[in-house]
Structures are given as C-alpha cells and as structure tokens.
Amino acid sequence: MAGPRQAQLDATPLPGARVLVVEARFYDEIADELLAGAQAAIAAAGAESHVITVPGALEAPAMVAIALDAAEAAGRPFDAVVVLGCVIRGETGHYDIVAGESARALMDLAVARRIPLGNGILTVENEAQALARARVSEMNKGGGAAEAALAVLRHKRALAEAFR
C-alpha cells in the first residue's frame, strides 16, 4: 500500500505579505521552537511577521480576532495568520476542552474572515512528544503551520487574480 501523498507546494515569494503570529506561551521551550520555525518559514517567503503573545491556547482565537480588527481599522490588514501553542494531556478533561474549543474557534475565524490560517497548536500526550514536534531540527510544526497559511495565501491571491 502506498503512503500518504506529499503535495508539492508552491514556493512563490510573498514580499510585503503581513502575517500575524499569535503564540500561546504556556510552555516556554516549546513555544520558542514553534516560533523559530514559523518565523523562519515566513521570512523564507519574503513576508513579514508580527508576533503577539498570549498566556494559553484558549486566549489565542480572541486575540486573533482583536488583532485582525485593529489592523483592518488601521488600514494595514494582515494577509494570513499563524497560531502556535501546545496543549499537553493532563489528568482531567480540561485538555479536551482546550484542544477542541481553540481549534473550533480558529477554524470558525478562518472561514468567517476568509483568511489563511495555520493552526500550530500542538495537542500531545506528554512533553517529549511536544518537543519532538516543536523542534525545528525534528518535526518543525511551527514552520509547517506557517507554510500551510502561506500556501493558502498563495491560492487566495491566485484566485483573486484569475477572477479579475
């Protein structure tokens, strides 16, 4: 049986693109790695990142909405959003609420606002899994979340151009 198909993503530079990065900094070492990966991917695309830090994953969706509104009101809207953070399963059901509600709220925002959004909130069983996924030298999920948002931004721009 064949493995998952790896998409060849467009790497067209996005100079001038403004990317909002909201990081939930509950675990500093994990957050540092996620942010490093995301910022490297954004810089590699020629885009600029604007980082806002919040305490945890549940605060991230509200911060995204607030920042999108503020940037729009200032006439400097964001072109894409990347959200980073980590939720580690504990002994209570709080994990399920935080993981599910933050993901749902981010998806709702992306669809309602029609903004490319890369969800880089890790949902893991333990710190070792989180670090393996966060480290730039390993799975680089922060970079992956940024690359996902940038890929959708490229498609959004191509469609806008195609239907002019």
Side-chain angles (χ1 to χ4, degrees):
M1 175 180 240
R5 182 167 99 44
Q6 296 297 315
Q8 295 297 325
L9 295 179
D10 178 2
T12 303
L14 294 164
R18 292 172 34 85
V19 181
L20 171 64
V21 178
V22 174
E23 65 159 348
R25 185 161 276 279
F26 197 80
Y27 303 100
D28 285 335
E29 183 179 5
I30 296 163
D32 288 344
E33 288 288 331
L34 289 168
L35 183 59
Q39 287 185 309
I42 293 165
E48 56 184 76
S49 62
H50 302 268
V51 180
I52 299 175
T53 302
V54 295
L58 283 178
E59 292 78 30
M63 188 71 256
V64 169
I66 291 164
L68 290 175
D69 286 347
E72 184 75 30
R76 300 202 62 221
F78 289 106
D79 299 295
V81 176
V82 177
V83 181
L84 306 170
C86 181
V87 182
I88 298 176
R89 186 178 300 279
E91 296 177 2
T92 69
H94 188 65
Y95 168 90
D96 296 315
I97 293 166
V98 174
E101 293 301 319
S102 62
R104 171 55 36 213
L106 292 173
M107 182 60 69
D108 289 348
L109 275 169
V111 173
R113 302 285 187 113
R114 288 163 180 71
I115 190 157
L117 189 146
N119 183 346
I121 297 178
L122 305 178
T123 52
V124 297
E125 298 295 321
N126 54 56
E127 189 174 349
Q129 286 180 350
L131 286 168
R133 285 159 178 74
R135 284 190 184 112
V136 174
S137 62
E138 292 184 48
M139 297 177 81
N140 192 16
K141 293 296 186 177
E147 289 167 359
L150 295 170
V152 174
L153 176 57
R154 288 182 184 99
H155 286 300
K156 181 179 179 179
R157 287 183 172 184
L159 287 168
E161 188 64 30
F163 292 109
R164 275 191 166 179

